[in-house]
Amino acid sequence: MTDRVATTLGLYPLPDWAKDELSSLKGHQKADLVDGSEGPEVRAAYERVREELIDDQREAGLDRIVEGQGRWDDWLAHPLAVHDGVETGGIVRYYDNNNFYRDPRVVDDLAADGGDVAAELDAATALLEDEESLQAVLPGPYTLADLATDEYYGDDAEFLAAIAEFLAGEVEALPEHETLFLLDPSLVTDSPEGEANERVSDAVDTVAAATDADVVLQSYWGAHEEKTYAHLMDADVDAFGFDFVAGDRDAHLYNVTEYGTKDAISVGLVDGQNTAVESPETVAERIDWVTEQIPSQTFDTVYATPNTELAYLPVSTYREKLSVLGEAVELAPETEVSA
């Protein structure tokens, strides 16, 4: 029997009170939040943010709990932005939207340097109740390399390998977690070419090998190029994530039909960038629709997720969408599918 799991890609919007409180703190600037030198008031505010984001997921009935990444002002570039061997440069547009991050310029060796993400997840673990399962969220190696500027390694292949080893070190420092989502949207927005596809698969392997948890490689804002997908099938992950909101559904299904997929699947079915709130029934139907299009395979697990991070949304809408996911996985719709 297929296990349906309601979860998210993390990166939640800050509560309104937190935006006001953090912006009012003396000397506080958005660009300084993640450099490790926050004052006690800032740290205390983020502790309250973490508690609230976990409560939101608990109330929505999600099956996996993420930390929420309230401190990740640099979005998926965050793990590099706080590294000792990285200098943050100018403000850069985050993909094709109105969000921005500081350009992480790698100027020294990327050896693991203490695990900023691990500290966040340690704090999240302390807030979990019995039977709740932690989900870790990190950028995928290709995306993190794509978002960064290399001023040290001088070779694309060496740089990607160094990024992968850095992420593996971050993963090894994490507390116990049931799932690890690697968010790698650059795989579809700026697909690797030629031999780089094989290197990407090897880089994903490096990160995935650092945990005993189930690993989901999630891309979004499009569908994988055929060659990229074929090489990713060699990566030792437990599931691929597909964006069925903004992505080309036919392209997803072609890749899966032509090259197969893993024994689990993650499906982005809730729009993470649109304030229109889907009904639980609609999302449940979409889950069925996706699995029915792949009749040759019975999945052990189907992860139902938003198609992107949720920080684009107003707080009230983000909470509604969490609840939709929590309710949808409990439904077994018998109505005609309307994906």
Side-chain angles (χ1 to χ4, degrees):
M1 181 177 178
T2 299
D3 185 21
R4 292 186 174 186
V5 174
T7 188
T8 67
L9 312 189
L11 280 161
Y12 293 163
L14 282 175
D16 293 334
W17 67 262
K19 295 176 185 176
D20 295 339
E21 184 169 323
L22 288 166
S23 64
S24 68
L25 289 172
K26 184 178 180 180
H28 169 73
Q29 295 182 9
K30 180 175 184 292
D32 295 331
L33 287 178
V34 294
D35 66 0
S37 62
E38 302 101 322
E41 297 93 346
V42 173
R43 288 195 296 272
Y46 276 117
E47 289 171 5
R48 291 166 56 200
V49 167
R50 181 181 299 114
E51 292 174 3
E52 187 165 323
L53 298 182
I54 288 176
D55 281 342
D56 288 343
Q57 297 169 81
R58 181 176 295 133
E59 291 175 10
L62 296 192
D63 299 301
R64 299 287 187 275
I65 302 295
V66 301
E67 189 269 342
Q69 294 79 46
R71 293 173 63 244
W72 288 28
D73 288 326
D74 294 301
W75 295 78
L76 293 180
H78 169 88
L80 276 186
V82 296
H83 192 282
D84 289 342
V86 174
E87 296 176 357
T88 50
I91 300 299
V92 183
R93 185 179 295 275
Y94 183 72
Y95 294 98
D96 188 22
N97 55 53
N98 291 322
N99 296 279
F100 301 87
Y101 69 101
R102 298 173 298 166
D103 175 25
R105 296 185 293 112
V106 178
V107 296
D108 204 346
D109 187 82
L110 285 178
D113 66 345
D116 181 82
V117 177
E120 293 177 342
L121 290 186
D122 283 335
T125 298
L127 299 172
L128 297 185
E129 298 177 352
D130 292 344
E131 307 303 322
E132 290 183 334
S133 299
L134 181 68
Q135 176 177 299
V137 174
L138 281 169
Y142 182 74
T143 284
L144 193 55
D146 184 49
L147 294 175
T149 299
D150 174 25
E151 297 183 1
Y152 178 78
Y153 292 93
D155 176 80
D156 289 346
E158 186 178 353
F159 185 51
L160 178 61
I163 291 283
E165 290 290 347
F166 159 69
L167 286 172
E170 294 287 295
V171 172
E172 288 172 354
L174 298 179
E176 184 177 352
H177 50 286
E178 186 156 348
T179 48
L180 168 64
F181 269 59
L182 298 176
L183 309 186
D184 224 328
S186 289
L187 286 173
V188 297
T189 63
D190 186 19
S191 299
E193 298 179 355
E195 294 181 358
N197 282 289
E198 185 174 351
R199 294 197 296 268
V200 168
S201 181
D202 291 342
V204 172
D205 269 347
T206 297
V207 183
T211 180
D212 294 328
D214 292 332
V215 179
V216 181
L217 182 67
Q218 187 105 6
S219 299
Y220 40 100
W221 292 320
H224 292 109
E225 294 289 341
E226 183 177 352
K227 187 173 184 178
T228 297
Y229 185 84
H231 278 281
L232 287 174
M233 273 299 295
D234 293 330
D236 191 17
V237 298
D238 298 279
F240 293 135
F242 302 94
D243 181 351
F244 277 92
V245 175
D248 183 338
R249 292 183 293 181
D250 290 338
H252 290 321
L253 295 174
Y254 171 82
N255 285 335
V256 170
T257 301
E258 188 72 15
Y259 299 102
T261 193
K262 305 295 183 175
D263 290 335
I265 188 172
S266 179
V267 285
L269 299 171
V270 168
D271 196 329
Q273 296 183 280
N274 192 312
T275 56
V277 179
E278 302 84 349
S279 72
E281 292 78 13
T282 295
V283 175
E285 290 174 359
R286 290 174 178 175
I287 296 171
D288 280 357
W289 181 86
V290 171
T291 56
E292 288 167 1
Q293 304 311 302
I294 314 170
S296 61
Q297 187 156 353
T298 299
F299 293 105
D300 296 333
T301 305
V302 174
Y303 298 92
T305 75
N307 70 317
T308 67
E309 313 101 327
L310 291 174
Y312 309 97
L313 298 174
V315 173
S316 60
T317 306
Y318 129 82
R319 288 175 177 154
E320 288 182 88
K321 299 218 176 198
L322 293 187
S323 295
V324 165
L325 285 165
E327 294 177 36
V329 299
E330 301 298 329
L331 296 176
E334 298 178 356
T335 56
E336 183 178 352
V337 172
S338 57

